[in-house]
Each structure stands twice: as structure tokens, then as C-alpha cells.
Amino acid sequence: MSVTATPQLEMHPLRESLYEEMHSRPFQVIPSPARISHLSVVCNEAQKDEQFRHLQQLCELLDGRVPDQDEPCFQQQFGKLKVRREKHMEFVSYTFIWLGGHHRDPFAETGISHLPAGWLNGICGEVVAAFHMSVEDVREIGEPTIPEVKSHFEAMRLVGSQPSQGAAQVWTSYRMHNDGFGRFLIYNREMSDSQLGRLIQRLLEIESYRLMTLMGLPMARSIGPQLQQMDQQLAELTQILSREQYDDAKSGNERQLLSRLTHLASRVEAYRASSTFRFNATNAYQDLVMQRLSDLREDEVSGHLTLQEFITRRMIPAVRTCKATAERLEDLSRRIDRVSDMLRTQVELSIQGQNQELLSSMDRRSQIQLMMQHTVEGLSVAAISYYTIGLVKIFIGVLYDQGLHINKSLSLGISMPLVIIAVAMITRRIHSKFSKLAADSADH
């Protein structure tokens, strides 16, 4: 049998990681009976690093292999205890599985019962989801009755179904119990360990993602009244801009209106910045929950609500509330932009009117200055002529003293009109040159 040589092709640097991504969160193989505890902890990147060091401490305490680097999914078995840690975008989940359990009370022993004392309290971050699962094998203990199941949930109203076309029963109350944890009770009828592991993984994800989905609802409820108030303020500003009497005091109101509009826009943008990620995450988590619920393939049990019916009954309105709030923010932002455009248009028209008035005033002033200039020109001709005639008189006197026999009075009288005419012509010529230069500059 010949072996085909591997082609010498250039491989993408992410090729291997893309292959491994499909196997980064494998389904677990869980036998029944089993006791499971699950925590979802919201944390930042620094807290995730601190949690990893805390996980390394747990491995040392349980005499297991200590991981060298943090991975998206860590799992390891310490005897009968299996520990699984998964990193998500904004939270980290811990799953502790104790393989065994034969108590009459299925929640007397949990997945965290066998952890080192005090270690669980050292996990940093804020716990969102915390619940226990008890897995029982019907083939060993027999089919439970509804009152028997209800007794394990502190007499709370039950939600239950038969996933995988009746291969198991799942019961829960979707409430916190006296220990601060939620509870799930799973009765395995005919599932293999691999099938049971997939079922449990879906239930863990449904509960974690369900709570993460609802995290956007309190924010939407807190923003709602503020949006109503800002909507009214914007309506008032729009009415002011549309009033006819606004033109009477336009110059005094524009600055005040622009200040109010800018403050309103900054508030809207602040709410958008703080809520966009949360509302987008709400939509993404809802899609995950609905997909996992669909994968359960539930059947009804004795008239009880199934998990999908119970969750969608309250989760869908919550998601729609978040979506409606996000859409109101976007709509309010667009309306503020339109009002801002209206105000800018009115400000520009006001500025154009002021500029027109200023140009008219400057034109009137230039006309007055031109008239004054003509007046000054006449006076300047008289003054220049006066001083020029004085010079001519001196020149005639010098000629007479040198022996030139002329009539000084007659010569002076003849020169006077000539001097006046010459000065007037020179002044008019200079004025014409400046006027031509001004006209040429205006044309260019």
C-alpha cells in the first residue's frame, strides 16, 4: 500500500486552532446516579486570571495535574469528583460532578460537598447562576410520583418535561431554595452515559444563558422612565422651534435652545453607550437558549408546563422590552439629530440676516465716506491751489528782483486760474486711478 506524500502547501497560521475550536467544549460522559453543582460567575479579565490561579490551587489540594496555562475549557477528574471550568466572554462557569449518591434526599449531597473546605469562597467575581442537579436512575429506584418529586423542592410549584422523547424526566422550580441554590432533578429512564452528558450540558447552558439574558431587563426598566422624560423635553424643544412668535426673540433663544438640545443629546448617547452591549448580549443569549430548548425535544408531563413553555413565557417579553428600549434610544437619537438640523438651519438663516444688515450698514457708511471724500477733495484743491499760488508769487518776485520788468499783480492774476485748473485736473486723475484699482479688485 503506497503512502501519499503530504503536499508542501503554505498553511494558514490559524488552521490548527480552527480545527481545535470544534473540540474545545466537548460533551461530558456522566453516569447515573450523579450529583452536580454549577456556578456562573461574572468577572473581568483580571478576575479571570485570579480565578485560574485559584483553580491551580484546587488541583494541588486534590493531588491532581496542575494546568500550566488557562484554557477556554478545563476539565479533570479527581477520583469520583469531576471539575470543569469554561471561560465565556463575560462570565466563567464551574461544574462540579460527584459520581454517585444513594441518599433518600437527592439534594443532601451535592457536587460541591466534596470540595476542600473554604476553597469555593475564594472564587472572585459575582455569581449569577448557582444551582444543583441530582441525577437518579429510574431502573434502580423506580419511577417517582409527583408528590414525591415535589417534596424535594420545598413544596414549590414544579416545571417538568420528558426530553429526548421520554428517555428521561426533568423537574425544576426555577426558584432559589433555602441554601441559595436552584434545583434540577433528573430521572434517567433509558439514556446512555453519553446521552445523559449531552442532556445535562444543555440544561446547564439553558439555565446560565437564561439568567444572562434577563440581565438586560433591569437596565431597560431603569432607562424607560428617563426615555419618557427626554421624549417630552424633545417635544417641547420642537414646539418652541415651530412657533411663529419664536422669531420675535430668536436671537435670545437660540443659545439657550442649543444648550438644552446638546445636554439632551449627551444624555441619550450616555444611555446608548452603557446599554448597547447589554442589549446585544441579551439578544445573543436568547438565541442560544431557544436553540438549546429546541434540542431537548420535550414532551409534556401530567399537565405541567415544559421548560420551553415556562422560559419563553417570561423570557420573550423581557427580551422584547430590551429590544424596544434599544429602538427607542435609537429613535430618540435620530429625532434629536433632526431637531439639531432644524436649529442649525435657523441659526444659519439668522446669521445670514445679520450679515445682510451688516453689509447694508457698511454700504451706507461707504456712501457717506465717498461724499465726505468728494467734499475733502474740493477743499484740498483750494488748499493746494492757495499754497501753489503763494509759491508762484514768490517766484514772480524773484524774477522781478533779477531785473525782469513784469507786472507782478497781472502775472499773479493770470497764474491763479491756471494753477487752480492744473491742481483740479491732477487731483481728478489721481482719484480716477484709485477708483479703477478698486473696481479691478472687486471684479477679481
Side-chain angles (χ1 to χ4, degrees), residues 38 40 128-131 133 172-176 182-184 201-213 289 292-293 307 310-311:
H38 184 83
S40 294
V128 175
F131 53 92
M133 280 187 177
T172 184
S173 61
Y174 284 115
R175 290 184 178 275
M176 290 190 297
R183 291 182 180 180
F184 283 83
Q201 185 66 30
R202 292 187 182 109
L203 293 173
L204 296 176
E205 293 175 352
I206 288 171
E207 183 64 359
S208 295
Y209 293 149
R210 176 185 73 88
L211 293 171
M212 295 299 296
T213 300
V289 172
R292 300 299 187 272
L293 287 171
L307 275 62
F310 181 85
I311 290 176

Side-chain angles (χ1 to χ4, degrees), residues 260-358:
R260 291 175 61 185
L261 195 60
T262 302
H263 177 67
L264 190 61
S266 64
R267 289 181 61 192
V268 172
E269 292 305 315
Y271 281 122
R272 289 181 63 191
S274 62
S275 64
T276 297
F277 172 79
R278 186 73 271 149
F279 291 158
N280 289 339
T282 293
N283 294 328
Y285 286 129
Q286 182 212 9
D287 293 339
L288 292 172
V289 172
M290 299 308 296
Q291 180 61 47
R292 300 299 187 272
L293 287 171
S294 177
D295 292 340
L296 290 180
R297 294 175 297 156
E298 296 178 284
D299 291 333
E300 187 177 315
V301 179
S302 303
H304 289 78
L305 287 174
T306 63
L307 275 62
Q308 183 168 2
E309 290 173 336
F310 181 85
I311 290 176
T312 55
R313 179 178 175 272
R314 289 303 304 152
M315 188 181 69
I316 297 301
V319 173
R320 288 178 179 172
T321 299
C322 296
K323 187 177 296 185
T325 303
E327 291 175 353
R328 287 185 65 188
L329 278 171
E330 292 293 333
D331 177 68
L332 190 58
S333 179
R334 289 193 295 268
R335 290 167 56 199
I336 290 176
D337 288 340
R338 290 197 294 268
V339 175
S340 298
D341 291 339
M342 292 170 53
L343 183 58
R344 279 194 294 267
T345 301
Q346 291 200 1
V347 170
E348 290 174 358
L349 291 175
S350 176
I351 293 175
Q352 290 178 4
Q354 293 175 1
N355 290 339
Q356 188 66 33
E357 292 177 0
L358 181 61

Side-chain angles (χ1 to χ4, degrees), residues 31-35 100-102 135-143 187-189 193:
S32 53
R35 302 293 182 261
H102 297 280
V135 182
E136 302 289 356
D137 197 324
V138 173
R139 291 165 293 190
E140 295 182 2
I141 65 172
E143 193 78 25
Y187 291 101
N188 182 14
R189 288 174 173 169
D193 296 348

Side-chain angles (χ1 to χ4, degrees), residues 40-169:
S40 294
V41 186
V42 175
C43 52
N44 54 36
E45 293 301 320
Q47 290 174 324
K48 288 180 181 178
D49 294 337
E50 186 176 345
Q51 287 183 16
F52 175 65
R53 291 189 290 270
H54 195 57
L55 179 66
Q56 290 177 316
Q57 180 185 356
L58 176 64
C59 294
E60 292 176 355
L61 294 173
L62 296 176
D63 298 326
R65 178 183 59 84
V66 180
D68 297 329
Q69 59 182 3
D70 200 0
E71 299 176 353
C73 180
F74 165 85
Q75 58 182 1
Q76 189 174 160
Q77 185 164 345
F78 308 91
K80 288 188 175 183
L81 179 64
K82 295 177 67 174
V83 178
R84 181 182 174 110
R85 176 178 180 266
E86 298 181 47
K87 291 171 59 179
H88 301 266
M89 181 174 291
E90 57 177 330
F91 69 94
V92 174
S93 64
Y94 291 86
T95 306
F96 306 98
I97 305 173
W98 180 255
L99 303 177
H102 297 280
H103 298 278
R104 294 177 61 86
D105 183 357
F107 296 102
E109 183 181 36
T110 64
I112 61 176
S113 301
H114 301 276
L115 290 175
W119 180 87
L120 195 63
N121 296 330
I123 297 179
C124 60
E126 299 177 335
V127 177
V128 175
F131 53 92
H132 301 303
M133 280 187 177
S134 180
V135 182
E136 302 289 356
D137 197 324
V138 173
R139 291 165 293 190
E140 295 182 2
I141 65 172
E143 193 78 25
T145 62
I146 299 298
E148 182 181 355
V149 173
K150 196 169 185 177
S151 66
H152 302 312
F153 289 89
E154 300 174 357
M156 296 180 180
R157 179 174 294 181
L158 295 178
V159 177
S161 68
Q162 301 180 102
S164 301
Q165 298 178 344
Q169 273 192 1

Side-chain angles (χ1 to χ4, degrees), residues 11-31:
M11 301 299 177
H12 194 282
L14 298 178
R15 180 172 177 266
E16 184 176 354
S17 62
L18 295 176
Y19 265 94
E20 293 300 323
E21 179 63 28
M22 303 302 297
H23 306 278
S24 61
R25 304 181 193 275
F27 285 109
Q28 302 190 72
V29 178
I30 301 176

